[in-house]
Amino acid sequence: MFENWEELESNCLKCTKCKLCETRTNLVFGYGNKNSEIMFVGEGPGEREDAMGMPFVGRSGKLLDAMLSEINLSREKNIYICNIVKCRPPQNRDPLPEEQDLCINWLRNQVYIMKPKIIVSVGRISAMKIIDPNIKITKDHGKFYVKKNTVFMPTIHPASLLRNPSQKELVRQDFLNLQQKILEICERTY
Ligand code: URA
């Protein structure tokens, strides 16, 4: 494990552990307030993210930012955002299990340094990888899970909301649950 962000990020940026390194434009390490109490973890970079080296900067990201702002969260201020895999899977396919396994230690190291109180899994892939492989996102979104002193909450991916806008109300409710949890256990977020 690397003990500080600079060392972790500079090593991660050089990663060649899986084949996704061959097709990436930029590795997407993460973005936001590294001293915050809340980490959001998506699935993996898409086309815009790969082009810019930043997480959630495409249409999904814009929607995520808008919904986060409804509960006064923003990556500039009080959250950190990253992904399960740091490099874009070609054609935006789901990251393969072996790609997730080869990449997950970067995320573990991010969590180790940041020590977030709450981790929000954005979407099914993230929830199954870091909360519970048996999670059903349609049923379990907005619920809280506690592991090793950290609270986890899965929510529906904004790409799914773009396809199916009626789900926005479900995510609004997830985020209200999250806001309540933040008020209960976080000291520096609001
Ligand atoms: N979808 C994700 O899961 N992560 C991103 O960074 C962008 C889109």
Side-chain angles (χ1 to χ4, degrees):
M1 289 273 184
F2 296 102
E3 298 290 331
N4 66 68
W5 283 106
E6 293 71 29
E7 244 189 299
L8 175 62
E9 182 162 2
S10 66
N11 279 278
C12 183
L13 289 174
K14 294 185 279 200
C15 183
T16 55
K17 287 186 202 169
C18 83
K19 275 192 172 284
L20 296 182
C21 71
E22 294 170 10
T23 46
R24 74 179 174 225
T25 311
N26 287 292
L27 183 146
V28 180
F29 179 72
Y31 182 80
N33 182 349
K34 295 178 168 119
N35 296 313
S36 67
E37 298 171 294
I38 305 163
M39 179 184 273
F40 280 70
V41 181
E43 167 181 329
E47 188 178 6
R48 296 262 317 148
E49 290 77 20
D50 174 66
M52 301 191 45
M54 298 259 274
F56 283 102
V57 286
R59 282 181 70 216
S60 293
K62 300 266 176 314
L63 177 55
L64 181 63
D65 281 343
M67 299 196 73
L68 287 171
S69 79
E70 292 181 15
I71 55 164
N72 293 313
L73 295 181
S74 86
R75 50 180 110 188
E76 266 66 44
K77 205 172 59 190
N78 49 12
I79 62 167
Y80 184 78
I81 305 185
C82 57
N83 284 300
I84 298 283
V85 298
K86 309 304 191 208
C87 299
R88 182 193 180 201
Q91 279 85 48
N92 296 347
R93 63 161 170 74
D94 289 350
L96 302 173
E98 59 263 35
E99 291 162 352
Q100 296 182 40
D101 289 343
L102 286 166
C103 207
I104 198 73
N105 277 346
W106 296 120
L107 177 63
R108 284 211 183 95
N109 207 150
Q110 287 171 306
V111 171
Y112 166 76
I113 298 176
M114 187 174 144
K115 300 191 173 36
K117 291 221 162 96
I118 303 177
I119 300 180
V120 179
S121 264
V122 182
R124 176 181 62 89
I125 299 258
S126 170
M128 290 175 65
K129 187 66 187 168
I130 63 177
I131 305 177
D132 179 343
N134 297 314
I135 272 190
K136 298 274 174 280
I137 197 77
T138 44
K139 177 165 73 69
D140 298 323
H141 67 88
K143 296 182 185 168
F144 294 108
Y145 298 78
V146 182
K147 298 204 292 184
K148 290 194 208 153
N149 246 344
T150 307
V151 173
F152 291 77
M153 187 194 83
T155 190
I156 298 167
H157 198 287
S160 172
L161 304 188
L162 288 171
R163 290 189 297 269
N164 192 349
S166 65
Q167 291 178 324
K168 273 189 203 169
E169 281 315 310
L170 301 176
V171 173
R172 272 206 182 96
Q173 189 56 55
D174 292 354
F175 281 13
L176 290 175
N177 297 353
L178 174 63
Q179 184 178 43
Q180 200 52 48
K181 185 61 75 179
I182 293 169
L183 290 168
E184 278 168 33
I185 68 170
C186 294
E187 290 144 21
R188 295 178 278 115
T189 295
Y190 286 135

